[in-house]
């Protein structure tokens, strides 16, 4: 079979406005046509064992989707907008080339089964705590292990842009702050600050500079998984080395083998 080309596939999909289940497994499909956005009733999408490399944003218009079967493709990245699929219960993306799960997956609070086996994932995002996971399949991934390595003390050096951003973000806590009042009437500034995150240690906000760390959580007692035991590496970000050197936390710096 030569597969389903994008033009033909788009013409077919465009007519399936009331379709609830679409099964196109093992068809050498290379592209999910943008016309899929019209399938507002779609609940189950099966595209396993194909040649799909990207998940188009148009699929996020299918808000009724409960199951996504995209295993055994060529997908390298999951869109952050995946979090819009609030009804998603099962996500199968095994045997792809995915290196990172976006933190926005935490918005999929109905997600019960996640299969990311045979990918390139080293750790999972903090957002995974907010899912209702019962099963996590992650075998055959280069997951980080809790192994001690030698490290050197490093001091923070922040660019002026980061220092200014942190000062503005800090001012947002004070309603009477002149800096806050000035920033809130500047859409360009607010657009930059919308990506700010909080340090897991001091809970202060940061924007461009952070220290990527990992902590290890028990699959059964903390994540409540039914199919796994042992520890799962979860990504965490600290705003500075000062926070990293603070005693009393269980966050570890990430070291990748050469």
């Amino acid at each position: 079979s030569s597969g389903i080309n994008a033009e033909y596939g788009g013409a077919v999909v465009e007519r399936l406005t009331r379709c609830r289940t679409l099964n196109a497994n093992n068809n050498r499909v290379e592209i999910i046509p943008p016309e899929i956005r019209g399938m507002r009733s779609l609940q189950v999408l099966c595209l396993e064992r194909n040649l799909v490399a990207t998940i188009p944003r148009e699929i996020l218009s299918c808000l009724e989707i409960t199951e996504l079967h995209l295993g055994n493709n060529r997908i390298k990245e999951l869109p952050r907008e995946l979090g819009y699929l609030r009804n998603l219960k099962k996500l199968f993306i095994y045997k792809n080339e995915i290196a990172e799960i976006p933190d926005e997956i935490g918005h999929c609070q109905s997600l019960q089964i996640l299969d990311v086996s045979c990918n390139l994932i080293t750790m999972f995002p903090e957002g995974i705590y907010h899912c209702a996971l019962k099963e996590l399949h992650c075998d055959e991934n280069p997951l980080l292990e809790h192994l001690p390595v030698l490290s050197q003390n490093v001091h923070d050096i922040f660019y002026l842009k980061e220092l200014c951003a942190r000062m503005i973000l800090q001012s947002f806590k004070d309603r009477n702050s002149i800096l806050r009042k000035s920033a809130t009437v500047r859409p360009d500034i607010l657009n930059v600050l919308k990506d700010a995150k909080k340090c897991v240690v001091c809970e202060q906000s940061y924007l461009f500079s952070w220290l990527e760390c990992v902590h290890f959580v028990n699959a059964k007692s903390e994540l409540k998984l039914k199919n796994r035991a042992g520890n799962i590496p979860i990504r965490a970000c600290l705003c500075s080395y000062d926070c990293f050197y603070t005693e009393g936390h269980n966050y570890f710096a990430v070291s990748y083998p050469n």
Side-chain angles (χ1 to χ4, degrees):
S1 171
S2 60
I4 300 175
N5 63 54
E7 184 178 353
Y8 174 76
V12 172
V13 167
E14 200 169 25
R15 299 181 181 182
L16 302 177
T17 56
R18 297 184 179 180
C19 177
R20 294 187 177 182
T21 300
L22 177 59
N23 189 331
N25 290 339
N26 201 25
N27 270 291
R28 299 186 63 81
V29 175
E30 297 181 7
I31 297 174
I32 301 176
E35 288 82 1
I36 197 170
R37 61 177 173 266
M39 300 182 67
R40 300 299 176 93
S41 299
L42 187 63
Q43 296 179 0
V44 180
L45 176 61
C46 302
L47 285 168
E48 297 191 342
R49 298 182 299 281
N50 282 292
L51 305 173
V52 176
T54 59
I55 302 176
R57 291 185 176 183
E58 286 83 0
I59 201 174
L60 306 174
S61 298
C62 307
L63 299 179
E64 299 301 316
I65 284 184
T66 59
E67 297 184 25
L68 263 180
H69 298 258
L70 298 170
N72 211 334
N73 277 282
R74 299 177 178 178
I75 300 169
K76 295 184 178 181
E77 184 179 7
L78 294 178
R80 295 172 58 182
E81 294 84 357
L82 188 69
Y84 288 128
L85 300 180
R86 303 296 175 91
N87 294 312
L88 188 63
K89 294 182 178 180
K90 300 179 181 179
L91 177 59
F92 298 90
I93 46 176
Y94 61 88
K95 288 188 178 180
N96 278 284
E97 302 169 32
I98 299 167
E100 185 175 347
I101 305 294
D103 195 56
E104 286 76 10
I105 198 170
H107 297 309
C108 300
Q109 296 185 6
S110 298
L111 189 62
Q112 298 179 7
I113 300 177
L114 175 61
D115 190 343
V116 294
S117 304
C118 303
N119 276 284
L120 305 172
I121 296 167
T122 57
M123 53 184 162
F124 292 91
E126 282 279 337
I128 202 170
Y129 278 116
H130 303 298
C131 300
L133 282 183
K134 295 180 179 178
E135 296 182 21
L136 173 61
H137 303 272
C138 55
D139 296 326
E140 300 300 321
N141 277 286
L143 294 176
L144 292 175
E145 299 182 40
H146 190 180
L147 299 173
V149 295
L150 292 175
S151 63
Q152 296 179 337
N153 284 355
V154 180
H155 298 286
D156 294 302
I157 301 177
F158 295 122
Y159 290 104
L160 181 59
K161 191 175 183 180
E162 175 69 14
L163 292 173
C164 291
R166 294 190 181 194
M167 184 182 300
I168 296 172
L169 289 166
Q170 181 67 19
S171 74
F172 279 16
K173 297 179 179 181
D174 181 4
R175 291 189 176 184
N176 297 318
S177 168
I178 296 176
L179 190 56
R180 170 183 170 163
K181 293 178 180 178
S182 300
T184 53
V185 296
R186 290 283 303 275
D188 56 330
I189 293 179
L190 294 177
N191 186 54
V192 173
L193 297 180
K194 66 178 174 52
D195 293 324
K197 296 182 179 180
K198 284 189 177 182
C199 173
V200 294
V201 173
C202 71
E203 297 187 349
Q204 297 296 322
S205 298
Y206 62 87
L207 191 57
F208 303 106
S209 302
W210 65 85
L211 175 63
E212 185 178 55
C213 293
V214 63
H215 63 123
F216 297 87
V217 302
N218 187 274
K220 286 189 176 294
S221 64
E222 295 184 69
L223 291 180
K224 311 298 181 183
L225 299 178
K226 295 182 177 181
N227 72 311
R228 292 193 68 86
N231 291 328
I232 300 292
I234 304 292
R235 184 173 185 258
C237 290
L238 280 61
C239 71
S240 65
Y241 280 98
D242 285 343
C243 283
F244 178 68
Y245 296 133
T246 301
E247 296 182 359
H249 65 72
N250 292 314
Y251 300 105
F252 301 89
V254 176
S255 176
Y256 295 102
N258 295 325

